[in-house]
Amino acid sequence: MAISANGYVAREDDSTPWSSEEWEAWREMAESVGNLVIGRKTYDILNAEGELGKMSSVYKIVVTSTPGNHKERDGFSFVKTPEEAVNILKEKGFQSMLISGGSGLNTTFFEKELVDEIYLDVEPRLIGKGISLIRALDRDFNLKLLEHRKLSDNTMQLHYKIVF
Ligand SMILES: NC(=O)c1ccc[n+]([C@@H]2O[C@H](COP(=O)([O-])OP(=O)(O)OC[C@H]3O[C@@H](n4cnc5c(N)ncnc54)[C@H](OP(=O)(O)O)[C@@H]3O)[C@@H](O)[C@H]2O)c1
């Protein structure tokens, strides 16, 4: 997840003022993992911007309460639960899954303890009014910093493991 220095993943109006280096790093990670799981609102935004079409080699899953009758369409699989996304990727032989937001989808994966590592790409910006990385949770999660690296002069990537 790209994140502002004050912890927001987007502005309140859903716009995302991220650097080109950040977008590139995200695309590279999705291509390296080979899959991407996003919430329906993020799908609507990224699809309209044409971002997802650039990732033809990435298996893309959208989580939505209304997947409809055609669960596979236009290069996307639509599923009703996070567990369904996990099972599809397991069946396809993936060892890892890349959960790519937004805030609502992240929250549901945390609630179900289906996240074991986090990548935060901290962008050099304080967002005035924004959307948080996750919504309110009933518990804390402790993190261990595994790696840090600069994506550019101004953007730092933090790689954490969740300590259960
Ligand atoms: N900074 C970053 O790296 C980054 C990455 C991604 C997104 N974003 C930003 O995040 C914002 C969107 O976040 P958001 O929280 O509004 O929306 P979201 O998480 O993208 O999507 C929420 C939707 O996902 C579906 N969903 C989530 N959990 C579900 C569950 N357990 N079961 C069934 N469906 C589930 C529901 O879709 P239905 O309503 O269809 O049922 C829900 O309304 C945007 O501003 C976007 O730009 C930032």
Side-chain angles (χ1 to χ4, degrees):
M1 296 292 291
I3 193 164
S4 69
N6 59 333
Y8 292 129
V9 296
R11 295 197 188 100
E12 223 172 36
D13 66 0
D14 287 323
S15 59
T16 47
W18 311 135
S19 60
S20 56
E21 291 92 344
E22 158 52 28
W23 282 105
E24 191 53 38
W26 174 66
R27 274 193 290 272
E28 276 173 17
M29 180 171 282
E31 277 157 11
S32 137
V33 174
N35 66 68
L36 186 66
V37 183
I38 50 178
R40 195 266 311 158
K41 289 184 189 166
T42 295
Y43 163 75
D44 285 347
I45 293 166
L46 292 180
N47 214 26
E49 290 172 354
E51 273 303 322
L52 297 165
K54 296 175 194 166
M55 297 187 194
S56 53
S57 64
V58 177
Y59 190 85
K60 299 179 274 293
I61 299 185
V62 180
V63 184
T64 171
S65 55
T66 54
N69 293 329
H70 302 288
K71 294 194 172 177
E72 297 230 0
R73 54 186 189 272
D74 305 329
F76 294 87
S77 284
F78 293 82
V79 302
K80 210 167 178 173
T81 63
E83 290 85 350
E84 224 180 307
V86 172
N87 290 338
I88 287 177
L89 292 176
K90 267 190 190 164
E91 277 168 22
K92 292 197 172 287
F94 287 105
Q95 302 292 315
S96 308
M97 72 190 291
L98 184 62
I99 302 154
S100 268
S103 179
L105 189 79
N106 292 345
T107 307
T108 197
F109 272 87
F110 272 98
E111 284 168 345
K112 292 168 184 285
E113 298 190 354
L114 289 172
V115 182
D116 52 13
E117 292 183 20
I118 307 176
Y119 288 84
L120 294 181
D121 297 349
V122 185
E123 288 276 75
R125 186 180 287 263
L126 300 174
I127 286 182
K129 290 181 181 158
I131 297 171
S132 302
L133 177 70
I134 40 178
R135 299 187 186 149
L137 289 170
D138 290 336
R139 52 161 291 194
D140 289 358
F141 288 84
N142 292 321
L143 306 179
K144 179 177 183 216
L145 185 64
L146 296 181
E147 293 172 290
H148 61 284
R149 69 176 176 118
K150 279 180 111 177
L151 296 182
S152 68
D153 284 349
N154 283 307
T155 301
M156 179 67 90
Q157 182 174 80
L158 304 173
H159 175 192
Y160 291 102
K161 183 176 180 54
I162 297 177
V163 184
F164 286 107

